[in-house]
Amino acid sequence: MGFLSFLKELFNSAENVNNGVKTGFRFTQKEIKEIVSVSKKENLKYFEVLSKMPNLKYFDISFLLSQTTLNDEKIEIIKEAQKIYNDEEFKANGQTQSDFIFRVAANLEYLNADNINVFKELVKCKNELYDFKDALLNPVKYLVQNEAKVGYAFEKIYTTN
């Protein structure tokens, strides 16, 4: 499907929503118009792909299309990130899916298939950081194995009777 035919279908679908006809889009005409109006022109071709990702909300898609520079590789990274997101793991730390998407967007330039699991662990940490550039560029440096070292707090213990 070409870009122009996609846009035609997009606006026809939006018009059908106004007329009460069910379409394949899950957004209202107003939401679609707003997404299209704030999106970077070069990112518009990815609207269809992002809208088919069931976990992305209207605001998430709008943010990705307007605040990042997308390409096919980055779309694949976003798909992978969606696969590793788990509500139970993240909501336990008070993080929503939108928080997760914002962190993906902030680190999109540095994410790849090799460091996506390190990214997941960084995001699961309860913190306000969004930029994980250093850890993602050299994930091996930041992976720490749990070592069991026994140590004593006191050298001598005194007891009294």
Side-chain angles (χ1 to χ4, degrees):
M1 175 185 294
F3 180 67
L4 290 176
S5 62
F6 167 72
L7 283 179
K8 282 181 184 177
E9 182 180 324
L10 177 69
F11 288 113
N12 285 339
S13 295
E15 190 173 305
N16 288 339
V17 169
N18 268 353
N19 297 331
V21 178
K22 289 222 177 219
T23 64
F25 286 105
R26 57 193 171 116
F27 304 115
T28 66
Q29 180 181 5
K30 181 180 177 184
E31 290 171 335
I32 291 170
K33 282 183 179 179
E34 188 173 329
I35 290 172
V36 170
S37 70
V38 298
S39 297
K40 292 180 180 179
K41 288 181 184 178
E42 64 270 13
N43 287 344
L44 277 176
K45 62 184 175 184
Y46 298 109
F47 175 71
E48 182 179 18
V49 175
L50 292 173
S51 68
K52 288 183 179 178
M53 292 183 196
N55 296 329
L56 291 181
K57 297 175 181 72
Y58 150 75
F59 186 73
D60 301 334
I61 294 172
S62 179
F63 180 79
L64 287 168
L65 292 175
S66 65
Q67 300 299 317
T68 62
T69 302
L70 298 173
N71 59 33
D72 293 338
E73 183 181 318
K74 291 177 183 175
I75 292 294
E76 291 303 315
I77 294 295
I78 293 169
K79 285 180 183 177
E80 278 302 309
Q82 288 294 297
K83 289 178 187 174
I84 66 168
Y85 178 82
N86 180 330
D87 258 352
E88 292 174 10
E89 287 179 304
F90 288 93
K91 285 196 177 182
N93 291 331
Q95 297 181 42
T96 65
Q97 175 129 13
S98 289
D99 293 331
F100 181 75
I101 293 301
F102 295 151
R103 288 181 183 205
V104 168
N107 295 284
L108 203 50
E109 296 296 321
Y110 312 108
L111 283 170
N112 58 46
D114 296 331
N115 64 17
I116 195 82
N117 288 324
V118 172
F119 174 76
K120 178 183 177 181
E121 295 304 317
L122 290 170
V123 173
K124 281 179 16 182
C125 297
K126 197 171 190 173
N127 61 46
E128 297 301 318
L129 291 175
Y130 279 80
D131 184 6
F132 301 121
K133 175 183 175 184
D134 295 332
L136 293 174
L137 289 175
N138 190 4
V140 174
K141 178 181 174 184
Y142 293 91
L143 290 175
V144 178
Q145 299 296 325
N146 291 334
E147 296 178 17
K149 290 185 180 179
V150 178
Y152 298 98
F154 304 100
E155 194 172 303
K156 294 181 183 177
I157 298 175
Y158 297 99
T159 59
T160 58
N161 292 345

